[in-house]
Amino acid sequence: MAEKREQLYEGKAKRVYRTDRPGLYLVDYKDDATAFNGAKKGSIQNKGVLNNLISAVFFRLLEEKGIPTHFVEQVSDREMLVKALDIIKVEVVVRNIVAGSLSKRLGVPEGKVLTEPILEFYYKDDDLGDPMINDYHIRALGLATPAQMNRITELSLKVNKILLEYLADKNIDLVDFKLEFGVHGGELVLGDEISPDNCRFWDKVTHEKLDKDRFRRDLGKVEEAYEEIYRRLTGKSM
Ligand code: UDP
């Protein structure tokens, strides 16, 4: 166990606290929801609890399959203990099915199944609205080294394979998701969260959206969607 100390940072969906254990932080998942780079604000009842539990399931699965993550242990309903990371300011989006910004940008209909995964990189900067960048920007601006980018690419594609296979079994299509990485003790590890906030999950048969798009697009049944993901992953209901 670790004792909670002072708050270090408050983001849109999480707070991060120092602990009495050097190199370990406590992440506290909030119910606050934002979309469109903070322009739309709201709250999703129990989202913090569900995202903490859902992320813990995914991090345990990935660790089991050899992916290094920041996850140490689940501490409470809303809190997990994680390794402190030097965050790499590159967000990675992996796509299997066309949706969201890709559909808008290239005029490809949502739902088109891609023949292979697409990897995209975005500069992690809220004030700029996370603009898309490529390998050249990343190298020339020193956001990450080529060795780090090779590892990030390798890990992102492995995570995609593991999650696709795991979720197929739960009757869920993994449409796309966003990952963040950082460095802890010289090792590159997966950070942030893996939840309906930063993944698109569709029911395999009905294509019903079971993720934050229900909030972004005012589709209703937002809490229910997060609960349904939790239920399919764990067999338990909240
Ligand atoms: N995403 C995210 N944070 C962001 C942008 C995107 O977690 O700041 C996730 C989003 O939930 C989706 C995937 O990344 O699962 C691809 O998002 P997209 O580029 O389509 O952007 P959106 O349509 O959400 O604006």
Side-chain angles (χ1 to χ4, degrees):
M1 271 302 290
E3 262 179 51
K4 194 171 180 174
R5 295 279 158 87
E6 81 274 16
Q7 183 177 308
L8 291 171
Y9 164 83
E10 174 155 13
K12 286 177 280 194
K14 302 187 281 292
R15 294 187 195 90
V16 180
Y17 296 86
R18 200 189 298 283
T19 70
D20 62 334
R21 291 172 60 181
L24 297 188
Y25 290 165
L26 203 74
V27 176
D28 181 348
Y29 286 75
K30 305 192 289 182
D31 287 349
D32 299 352
T34 62
F36 313 118
N37 199 32
K40 181 180 168 110
K41 288 195 176 71
S43 172
I44 300 170
Q45 204 189 345
N46 274 333
K47 175 170 82 78
V49 175
L50 290 160
N51 280 358
N52 183 38
L53 299 175
I54 291 167
S55 290
V57 168
F58 284 129
F59 282 133
R60 285 190 202 104
L61 168 75
L62 293 172
E63 286 280 351
E64 254 170 46
K65 304 268 183 188
I67 305 288
T69 80
H70 71 160
F71 180 76
V72 177
E73 63 178 349
Q74 191 195 317
V75 174
S76 72
D77 263 11
R78 287 180 184 270
E79 296 166 319
M80 60 171 62
L81 193 65
V82 301
K83 295 171 183 163
L85 303 187
D86 289 323
I87 286 286
I88 293 174
K89 291 184 72 171
V90 176
E91 298 188 354
V92 182
V93 168
V94 184
R95 302 178 183 275
N96 299 302
I97 297 176
V98 175
S101 71
L102 175 64
S103 167
K104 285 207 191 83
R105 201 171 56 245
L106 299 185
V108 183
E110 275 209 334
K112 184 185 162 57
V113 178
L114 296 162
T115 57
E116 57 184 287
I118 292 178
L119 229 63
E120 295 171 349
F121 304 117
Y122 293 86
Y123 179 42
K124 183 174 162 59
D125 186 313
D126 279 342
D127 293 338
L128 297 174
D130 300 341
M132 189 189 261
I133 51 178
N134 65 29
D135 274 318
Y136 287 87
H137 299 96
I138 294 167
R139 267 203 307 277
L141 296 170
L143 300 178
T145 66
Q148 284 174 329
M149 286 314 292
N150 286 340
R151 182 72 172 145
I152 284 174
T153 299
E154 179 195 4
L155 289 175
S156 298
L157 292 173
K158 270 194 190 158
V159 167
N160 188 42
K161 271 205 178 134
I162 296 166
L163 297 185
L164 273 174
E165 192 185 337
Y166 176 79
L167 290 166
D169 195 47
K170 320 275 178 198
N171 212 24
I172 297 168
D173 272 334
L174 178 62
V175 174
D176 57 29
F177 57 97
K178 186 256 298 176
L179 299 177
E180 295 187 23
F181 294 88
V183 178
H184 176 90
E187 189 191 20
L188 194 116
V189 309
L190 179 63
D192 196 37
E193 65 182 284
I194 306 176
S195 74
D197 265 16
N198 63 348
C199 304
R200 285 193 170 97
F201 298 126
W202 292 355
D203 182 276
K204 242 186 202 316
V205 177
T206 65
H207 305 301
E208 186 188 5
K209 297 182 194 329
L210 298 171
D211 56 60
K212 197 170 147 189
D213 271 348
R214 301 205 73 84
F215 169 77
R216 294 188 188 102
R217 304 178 187 190
D218 295 318
L219 300 176
K221 293 197 179 159
V222 184
E223 288 90 350
E224 289 86 341
Y226 284 70
E227 274 171 27
E228 177 63 14
I229 292 296
Y230 175 72
R231 197 187 61 74
R232 290 200 196 182
L233 299 192
T234 65
K236 296 183 232 167
S237 45
M238 275 281 292

